Each structure stands twice: as structure tokens, then as C-alpha cells.
Amino acid sequence: MQCIRRQPKRTVSQENILLEQSRRVAALNGIRLGLKDDKDLKFLLKGSQLLKVKSSSWRKERFYKLQEDCKTIWQESKKVLRSPESQIFSIEDIRDVRSGHKTEGMEKYAKDVPEYRCFSIIFKDQRKNLDLIASSEDDANHWITGLGKIIAHSNSMNQKQKLQHWIHTCLRKADKNKDNKMSLKELKDFLKEVNIEVDDYHAKKIFQHCDKSKTEALEDDEIEEFYKILTERKEIDSIFQMYSDPEGFMSCQNLVRFLYEVQQEEDAVVAAPALIQRYEPNERAKRGNAMTKDGFLMYLLSDEGNIFNPSHRKVYQDMTQPLSHYLVSSSHNTYLMEDQITGPSSTEAYIRALTKGCRCVELDCWDGPNSEPVIYHGYTLTSKILFSDVIKAIKNYAFKTSPYPVIISLENHCSVEQQKVMAQHMTTILQDMLLVAPVDGNKSQFPSPEQLKGKILVKGKKLSRQEDPINGNNNLEAEDVSDEDEAAEIEDESVKTKIEQKGKSDTLKLAKELSDTVVYCKSVHFEGFDDPNHPRAFYEMSSFSESKALKLAQESGTSFIHHNIRHLSRIYPAGWRTDSSNYSPVDLWNVGCQIVALNFQTAGTEMDVYQGRFQDNGFSGYVLKPEFLRDEQTKFNPKSITEGTWGTKKKLLLKIISGQQLPKVNKSKNSIVDPKVTIEIHGVQQDNNKKQTKVIENNGFNPNWNEEFTFDIEIPALALVRFVVEDFDMSTKNDFIGQYTLPFTSLKQGYRHIHLLTKNGDPYSSSTLFVYINIQDCD
């Protein structure tokens, strides 16, 4: 039997000293957040008992407390052998704090408790929501308001403040005996904590350089000196020196020169004084209209120093073109949280998709008990949710991220009676949001996203005798229409058996009430591209499996482009993707397909590229297709590129210089990452390319690569650039660290920082790459 060595018990005076130190640290972090003496922050630091709700029978009291770093929350756990790390979650992991009964859990299990005592913490990753009940309205308000303030203030901190906050938190963590001093051993532990391996010789050298008092421990100013050495950015210092005077000031005139010559900023004369006022911390320099090294670093870490063009963060494209002229951010089987066969269905999945900018969501509707339609993946074991609950979630979240129209894509398997209930729910819940008549008498082509702002459109089947939804309806009550059943395409034996047992019909009786909700998006089977002499109505649209769509793109690229100028096309994943994996959307965007639906719940390259495309145009969920994909006379074919007006070919010159504060992949204290960067081009076939840097061993804190790469870009308007950072492993698959993807046309030139995203597409607080970009026209 192994003996567990007990820690020596602290005296009361030692406990009081540590408590006072903890209060001081918390107060300092509160000041850093801009929340000095804030009553909500003080309440959270003190902590409180809350009821944690998991089910109708599981409701238990737990203690929750904001830690002194003001960025993590500790939660009490009664589980045996639970690790300390598992009892902590970071404020950075929180997506939203909702008051009242605003989650499925609260709706189901806490209806007996007044809304004003309830709140839920929604996480960024796939973690389950944390549903909590406070003992009073005041306590609930402290938690809701306090967390909201910390999240807002953390997000508004500049990169230097975030770095300082993070490093001081790590220093505190490494100070095991809490004496506010740092021994050589603690310094080495700290370096491992921040993801850098330094041999004993170098660690001792840094330590001795900082230990001016020769006490074998760093304290106060000596720790600050160590912090300065650690955060030194020599690669930026050398750029700054080229444009600064001997006293360490960059004049406004020299800043203009740097912005114009290196950063390719056309408005450099106007931008330079504004940047000095915004980012220069030294008052003397600011008064003299100059910039110091610190101000220069702050600028390069800011939005203006970002690789993504800040002017593309707002809607800048023409939003008055017909709806079919835009790529539309679209989700497949939106209700699923995990796989396609056994995973849970949830209204939360709709909320997550809509808040990620999705503008087309899918509802698979089936008859449910008590005459209430349900949504689930037919023939499978996925759980069921009420149609009405989904419509409520869509109403509440449709326009929080973007004001542009949302399309509800219905896959309808309901009886006529429950179809009438569906129509009634949409009409009564969505009210004026639901589009039920043509816009401004527009009868020959789609209205624009601008005209459809704040509107929800329904895509679905239409009664055949209502062939023209634009010119009014008749009184037909119900009729058989062809059935669209994507679930029946699933390549799973249990699903196939159920379909055989059921004896699936190719037709479905459609209720007039549901048919009437469809105006601009009438679902029809694809019978081939239009005969110019007998063109199909513009509002008729087809859905294609990825394999059928890719075959059409390969064999009839130009015809598909022409079809997509006038009609909407929806693409969905192949039936064999039961694990909710995704396909690349790029080849389908290249032929103008608008509604390329992906499984939003599945992280990976495909979703990174997808979100990279749609962060353009203000994250509105609508991106205008290039002119050559909208021109009726176009001869463009992405599979066989000939000379044409597709834009000037470009040469991309790219230098990966360095990385900063890359996160640990393996949480083990002794595990340090070995990072390498891969640059990928996603576009037409000729442009698809991939190049990578060397591996830097044992340094995730400040790796330096200084490697140059060149890419030729044939069709810039269709290209995306993806930067991927991985932890190299010789024996197994490399571990993902972070990535960033953006359209080629959104690249800024010069020296830029890339702010890396997590696997789920959320930003890391301070993990960056520093790069140099130059774009030239090809001869």
C-alpha cells in the first residue's frame, strides 16, 4: 500500500497572509479588467451555493466561485477521484449566459422555479449547458450581470493586456509556496506552464540576469524584468528600428511611409495619426505625434494589424442582387448535436448554427404524439424534439447575428393533419417574420437579401395546381406530391431494414396550409438543366446529394453555373456520412451552388474553410458570387479554365515569421509542443496547394520559423487561404493546435498577425502567428 504524504498544516497567521495575498491578486486582476470595486465581481469572488439541474430527478446544491485570476470558475464536485482541473472552467469557454428558462434543460426540468432565479451557462465547445438555480433573484442577477461584465471586458482587452494577464496568472500558478517570489525551480516550472522548454543552462542564465539582489529568488521588479525578457519581440524590434530615430520614436511621417510602402495601405496619411492616438501608450510620444516600440507592437496586434481586412468585417457587398446571386451559409440536419444515427437532437443546435451566421436551417418533420409534429432523423435512434420548440428557437435567434433572411428547409413526412399544425405553428409563432406573399410584386426573379431583411422563408413542396406561388393560390385542400426523403439515403443496415418494413411510398399528401407557406423556394426533383425554349420558373429549386452535385460540376460545369444564376441549388452530404463528417464545399461554390449544407456540429478542415468563406461580408451569412458566376453570358468552367474575365492572376509571397503563446495540446506539465505551420490554398483545381514549415522543437511560446513560400493563384476570387498549426509527432498523427482561414480577397499585405482559432472555430485569447504578405500581379 502506497503512503500518501500529507502537506504540513498551515498556521492561522499563514492562512491569513495567503488570504490577504489572494484578495490583493483578485483586486489587481479586477483593475486589469476595468472592474475596480465592482459589486458583482466581488460577489462572484466570494462565491455562492447554486442548484445544478441535470434532470427532473437530479437537482443538487453545489458551490461556485470565481477564482482570483478573474478568468476561471471553480465548481464543487462530490465525485470521488475527480481531478482539480476538471472542477475548473474558463470564462473564455463561455459563449453566452442566459437568464430564465432559455435552454431545453430549464424548459423541461425547472418550470416549477421562478424564471428570475434561473440562468444557464452556454459553452463554446460541444460541452453540455450548465443549468443553475440561485437562492434569490439578487444572487441570480449578480451571476448573470457579473459574468456578462467579465466576458465583455475580457473581449475588449488589447492583446498586450491579455498577454500580461495570462503570464501573471501562470506566474502565480508556478509560485507553489505562495511567497510572491520565484526560485529557479519555480521559474523552470513556469516556462513549462507557458509551453516552452529551456535547458538548465539557459534557465539559469535568465534567472541570474534578473536576480539583481543575488537572493536566489526573483521578486517584484526582478519578476517584471523576467517578464520583459520573456515577451521581447526581436522580429518586431528590427522592423521598428528601420523607421525610428535613435531615441526610439517613429515619427508620424515615417509611420505613413511604413503603412504605404510595406502595409500597402492606401489611406496611410489619414490612418497614421489615428493609429498613434489609438495605440500609443506613451503620452510624450502621443503629444509629439510619434510612436514608440510599444505602440507599434500594439498596432500590429490590433484589428488594423490583422491579416483579415477589417473593412470586410462589415457588410460591404451589393446586397440588392437577386437571392440566387449569393452563397448562403447553410446547415444540414441542423437539429443534430452529434452523429446521424443515435445522437441527440436539440433546439440548442439551431441556436448554435444561427449564432454562427447560418442562414438556412433544416427541419425533418414527422408525426408526433398528441397531434404535435416532432423533428428527428427518420428511421434512426436520434432523439426527438417538438417542431414548435424549434420554430420558437428560430424566431428568438434568427436575426441576432445577421439581419438577412433565414430559409427554413422542410423535409416533410407528416400526415395532412400534422402538416396543418406545422403551418399553424409557423404562422402564429413567427407572425410578421414569415414571408407569405411576394415582395414588392416581384414576379420574374428573386428579391434581394436587402428586400428580405428580417424575413423567414420556407423551402418545401408546393401543390401542383398552385404551380405559380407568385400569382396566387387556389382552393385545393390536399394532393399527392413527390416525396423527398434524404434520411432514406443513409447507408446503414438498421435504417434500410426499417424503410423496407415500412414500405416507403414515393408520394406524400400535402396540406394546402403548409403549401401556402412556400413562396420563393418550391422544392422540385431535378430533371436536367433548362431547355432555353421552356425555362423553369425561377422559384423552383432542387436538392442534390454531394456525389450527384460533384458529378454535374465535373461534367457540366458551365451549365451548372448558368442554372445557378437563376435558380437556387441545395447540396447535402452523402448517405454514408453517418458520423456527420463533411465534404469540401469549394468545388460546389466554384459552380455557383448557393445552399451548400454542412454538418455544423462537426469540426474539421471543411468547416474551417466554410466559416472562413462566410466571415467575409460582415459575417452576414450571404456572400456575393463573383461577376463571372452571375453573368448570363459566362463561359467560365472551373474544371477547364480558359482565357476570360475571371480576374488578374496573382502571385502570393508569404513569410511565416514567428508564433506567440500557442496553447498546450497535451495538458501534462512536461509536455511542450513541437509546432509546424501548413499553408493551404483551397480554390479551383489548379490553385489547390499545400506547403509547410520546418518543425520547431519544444517551443510553443515564441517559435521562430522565418520561412518564405510562393503560391500562384489562377482565380483569386474563388481562392481561400488556410493556416494550420500542428504539434508534430513522429510516431502518430500530428495534434491540431489552431487554424485560421480567410478568402484570398480579404488578405491584407505587409506585416500581419493571424489570430488563431480553436478546433470549434472560437478565437484563442492570445495565440497568434506573425507573417509577412505580398501580393503581385502575374505577368
Side-chain angles (χ1 to χ4, degrees):
M1 182 177 166
Q2 189 179 358
C3 292
I4 297 172
R5 191 178 160 197
R6 285 191 176 181
Q7 293 294 316
K9 198 173 178 184
R10 293 191 186 106
T11 64
V12 174
S13 62
Q14 283 175 324
E15 286 288 352
N16 288 338
I17 290 166
L18 286 174
L19 197 62
E20 186 51 41
Q21 282 179 1
S22 179
R23 284 199 196 107
R24 276 209 309 271
V25 170
L28 185 63
N29 285 322
I31 292 166
R32 284 193 184 119
L33 277 171
L35 293 172
K36 185 184 178 185
D37 297 329
D38 183 86
K39 67 178 192 312
D40 295 313
L41 184 71
K42 283 181 177 175
F43 178 88
L44 266 58
L45 285 163
K46 193 176 173 186
S48 76
Q49 295 285 351
L50 296 167
L51 277 178
K52 185 177 178 180
V53 181
K54 279 190 177 180
S55 69
S56 51
S57 59
W58 201 105
R59 192 185 280 186
K60 296 184 181 176
E61 198 169 72
R62 296 285 183 264
F63 188 75
Y64 288 82
K65 178 186 181 300
L66 179 69
Q67 296 199 294
E68 64 188 31
D69 61 5
C70 295
K71 58 189 278 189
T72 49
I73 288 172
W74 180 83
Q75 53 186 337
E76 179 189 9
S77 175
K78 304 285 184 184
K79 284 183 184 172
V80 182
L81 300 176
R82 187 167 179 180
S83 68
E85 287 78 17
S86 66
Q87 289 182 253
I88 291 168
F89 62 87
S90 171
I91 298 281
E92 286 171 12
D93 296 336
I94 298 174
R95 184 180 299 285
D96 193 13
V97 182
R98 294 185 202 150
S99 59
H101 304 144
K102 299 260 175 53
T103 63
E104 279 177 21
M106 281 303 200
E107 192 71 36
K108 280 183 192 171
Y109 311 128
K111 274 295 193 182
D112 59 314
V113 182
E115 282 211 67
Y116 56 73
R117 283 177 50 204
C118 300
F119 67 99
S120 301
I121 292 173
I122 317 300
F123 294 101
K124 287 177 179 174
D125 50 26
Q126 301 299 323
R127 239 182 305 182
K128 286 179 181 172
N129 300 336
L130 183 56
D131 293 323
L132 300 164
I133 299 170
S135 57
S136 69
E137 183 178 2
D138 275 355
D139 281 12
N141 285 337
H142 278 309
W143 277 102
I144 296 161
T145 312
L147 288 173
K149 283 179 191 173
I150 296 168
I151 292 165
H153 284 257
S154 296
N155 290 342
S156 64
M157 286 169 87
N158 63 46
Q159 286 296 119
K160 195 168 182 185
Q161 288 169 322
K162 284 179 185 174
L163 175 62
Q164 192 176 24
H165 193 174
W166 177 66
I167 284 182
H168 280 280
T169 301
C170 292
L171 282 167
R172 179 96 179 136
K173 210 168 170 183
D175 182 13
K176 297 292 183 212
N177 60 1
K178 305 297 179 209
D179 63 354
N180 282 339
K181 297 176 184 178
M182 188 179 283
S183 66
L184 178 58
K185 184 184 182 305
E186 285 174 335
L187 179 134
K188 279 152 70 172
D189 286 345
F190 165 78
L191 290 171
K192 283 178 183 170
E193 188 68 43
V194 299
N195 211 358
I196 183 169
E197 181 78 72
V198 177
D199 61 42
D200 287 352
Y201 172 76
H202 282 101
K204 198 166 184 181
K205 203 172 171 186
I206 296 169
F207 185 83
Q208 287 171 344
H209 173 82
C210 298
D211 184 19
K212 308 287 187 200
S213 58
K214 307 293 180 206
T215 56
E216 296 296 311
L218 306 185
E219 44 191 315
D220 302 331
D221 292 346
E222 293 170 339
I223 290 176
E224 286 303 311
E225 174 71 15
F226 170 63
Y227 167 80
K228 278 180 189 167
I229 291 171
L230 200 63
T231 56
E232 204 171 21
R233 294 284 302 274
K234 289 179 180 173
E235 72 277 34
I236 288 176
D237 293 352
S238 60
I239 301 163
F240 181 79
Q241 281 166 10
M242 291 165 67
Y243 292 87
S244 61
D245 61 26
E247 288 183 23
F249 292 103
M250 183 190 285
S251 67
C252 186
Q253 193 178 353
N254 278 353
L255 179 57
V256 168
R257 197 158 61 85
F258 171 76
L259 293 174
Y260 188 75
E261 292 173 0
V262 180
Q263 306 295 79
Q264 307 286 305
E265 301 283 8
E266 290 173 10
D267 61 345
V269 175
V270 178
L275 291 175
I276 290 168
Q277 290 308 307
R278 197 171 301 138
Y279 299 114
E280 180 48 57
N282 183 307
E283 286 302 322
R284 182 185 150 209
K286 202 185 272 190
R287 284 194 301 273
N289 206 17
M291 202 173 241
T292 62
K293 190 166 66 178
D294 282 347
F296 187 62
L297 174 60
M298 298 266 277
Y299 149 65
L300 286 174
L301 282 166
S302 76
D303 213 32
E304 282 94 345
N306 200 313
I307 193 171
F308 184 80
N309 189 334
S311 68
H312 291 190
R313 290 198 196 284
K314 58 181 185 293
V315 174
Y316 68 95
Q317 294 175 346
D318 178 6
M319 300 303 279
T320 63
Q321 305 249 347
L323 199 65
S324 55
H325 287 193
Y326 298 83
L327 305 180
V328 184
S329 179
S330 307
S331 157
H332 170 250
N333 288 356
T334 314
Y335 47 89
L336 292 177
M337 299 285 281
E338 295 169 14
D339 66 75
Q340 306 283 311
I341 305 293
T342 59
S345 305
S346 171
T347 54
E348 197 59 49
Y350 286 90
I351 295 168
R352 287 183 183 184
L354 290 166
T355 51
K356 281 186 172 181
C358 179
R359 299 289 84 193
C360 179
V361 293
E362 188 178 359
L363 285 68
D364 284 2
C365 311
W366 299 78
D367 280 358
N370 308 316
S371 299
E372 281 293 340
V374 293
I375 289 173
Y376 83 111
H377 205 192
Y379 319 111
T380 71
L381 299 173
T382 57
S383 63
K384 298 169 184 178
I385 49 177
L386 287 174
F387 177 84
S388 58
D389 286 346
V390 169
I391 297 301
K392 285 174 194 167
I394 291 171
K395 179 194 176 179
N396 291 334
Y397 288 89
F399 304 111
K400 284 192 182 291
T401 299
S402 165
Y404 292 100
V406 166
I407 300 168
I408 290 177
S409 179
L410 290 182
E411 191 175 304
N412 167 29
H413 305 276
C414 292
S415 62
V416 169
E417 288 311 308
Q418 294 213 14
Q419 288 177 42
K420 289 177 182 177
V421 175
M422 286 164 61
Q424 187 185 2
H425 281 321
M426 287 195 285
T427 308
T428 54
I429 294 167
L430 299 176
Q431 298 179 341
D432 291 348
M433 285 182 180
L434 184 66
L435 187 83
V436 291
V439 176
D440 299 339
N442 200 336
K443 296 179 180 180
S444 59
Q445 64 174 15
F446 282 107
S448 68
E450 191 63 36
Q451 289 172 296
L452 292 167
K453 260 185 176 177
K455 289 294 179 187
I456 294 173
L457 285 67
V458 176
K459 170 204 164 285
K461 288 290 180 181
K462 195 83 181 160
L463 291 172
S464 63
R465 292 186 201 170
Q466 293 178 297
E467 268 308 305
D468 190 352
I470 303 299
N471 290 317
N473 301 320
N474 69 6
N475 295 318
L476 193 73
E477 283 303 311
E479 185 190 73
D480 284 347
V481 294
S482 61
D483 188 18
E484 286 190 356
D485 193 354
E486 288 170 26
E489 297 177 28
I490 292 180
E491 293 182 19
D492 180 83
E493 287 309 312
S494 63
V495 170
K496 286 177 182 173
T497 305
K498 279 188 184 176
I499 293 167
E500 283 165 17
Q501 288 168 350
K502 191 183 171 194
K504 188 181 162 322
S505 168
D506 289 334
T507 60
L508 173 88
K509 204 168 274 300
L510 180 65
K512 177 184 183 294
E513 289 84 347
L514 191 59
S515 176
D516 286 349
T517 63
V518 177
V519 179
Y520 284 118
C521 303
K522 178 189 173 186
S523 295
V524 297
H525 279 295
F526 181 70
E527 305 289 353
F529 295 119
D530 276 359
D531 175 351
N533 300 317
H534 302 94
R536 273 168 39 187
F538 74 89
Y539 49 78
E540 292 186 349
M541 65 174 290
S542 300
S543 290
F544 307 86
S545 70
E546 66 176 271
S547 48
K548 185 173 181 181
L550 287 167
K551 191 170 188 286
L552 287 171
Q554 180 69 41
E555 296 173 0
S556 315
T558 307
S559 298
F560 211 171
I561 288 167
H562 280 274
H563 174 84
N564 288 326
I565 291 169
R566 197 157 174 271
H567 300 279
L568 290 172
S569 289
R570 177 178 166 273
I571 320 299
Y572 58 90
W576 58 264
R577 295 186 183 276
T578 54
D579 60 348
S580 294
S581 61
N582 280 314
Y583 57 99
S584 170
V586 177
D587 284 342
L588 299 159
W589 288 335
N590 290 349
V591 289
C593 295
Q594 303 89 347
I595 301 175
V596 182
L598 260 58
N599 293 305
F600 267 51
Q601 73 272 33
T602 307
T605 305
E606 298 81 12
M607 203 62 215
D608 294 342
V609 169
Y610 205 84
Q611 291 297 78
R613 171 57 74 199
F614 285 107
Q615 72 164 314
D616 194 9
N617 201 31
F619 200 52
S620 64
Y622 285 85
V623 171
L624 186 64
K625 294 192 273 189
E627 175 64 34
F628 56 82
L629 294 182
R630 296 181 275 125
D631 177 12
E632 299 276 3
Q633 309 304 316
T634 190
K635 291 183 170 58
F636 180 73
N637 183 346
K639 298 295 179 187
S640 174
I641 293 168
T642 54
E643 289 301 315
T645 55
W646 333 130
T648 310
K649 295 177 191 176
K650 302 287 182 183
K651 189 178 282 294
L652 171 63
L653 304 168
L654 182 62
K655 186 177 187 182
I656 306 290
I657 301 170
S658 60
Q660 293 76 40
Q661 291 87 60
L662 303 179
K664 279 191 167 200
V665 176
N666 183 334
K667 296 299 177 189
S668 155
K669 189 178 89 170
N670 293 316
S671 173
I672 311 293
V673 300
D674 304 323
K676 70 161 192 170
V677 182
T678 304
I679 308 104
E680 302 169 355
I681 308 293
H682 298 260
V684 297
Q685 209 163 334
Q686 290 96 313
D687 290 344
N688 291 340
N689 205 341
K690 185 189 283 192
K691 296 181 181 181
Q692 56 192 38
T693 65
K694 60 180 179 283
V695 176
I696 304 289
E697 291 187 0
N698 291 326
N699 188 351
F701 184 74
N702 55 4
N704 265 274
W705 289 279
N706 281 311
E707 291 187 62
E708 294 181 1
F709 304 92
T710 306
F711 296 91
D712 289 326
I713 311 292
E714 187 92 14
I715 311 290
L718 297 178
L720 294 108
V721 187
R722 182 171 182 253
F723 299 86
V724 194
V725 187
E726 293 177 308
D727 179 15
F728 177 75
D729 195 311
M730 194 155 321
S731 55
T732 61
K733 190 171 178 262
N734 295 339
D735 285 319
F736 174 91
I737 293 176
Q739 70 84 32
Y740 189 78
T741 308
L742 74 166
F744 180 85
T745 50
S746 295
L747 281 170
K748 289 292 280 181
Q749 297 192 63
Y751 290 102
R752 302 285 168 181
H753 276 97
I754 298 170
H755 295 259
L756 294 172
L757 305 178
T758 66
K759 191 170 278 188
N760 291 304
D762 298 304
Y764 284 115
S765 64
S766 52
S767 299
T768 52
L769 292 178
F770 186 52
V771 300
Y772 175 76
I773 307 274
N774 184 252
I775 299 168
Q776 298 170 1
D777 291 347
C778 282
D779 298 333

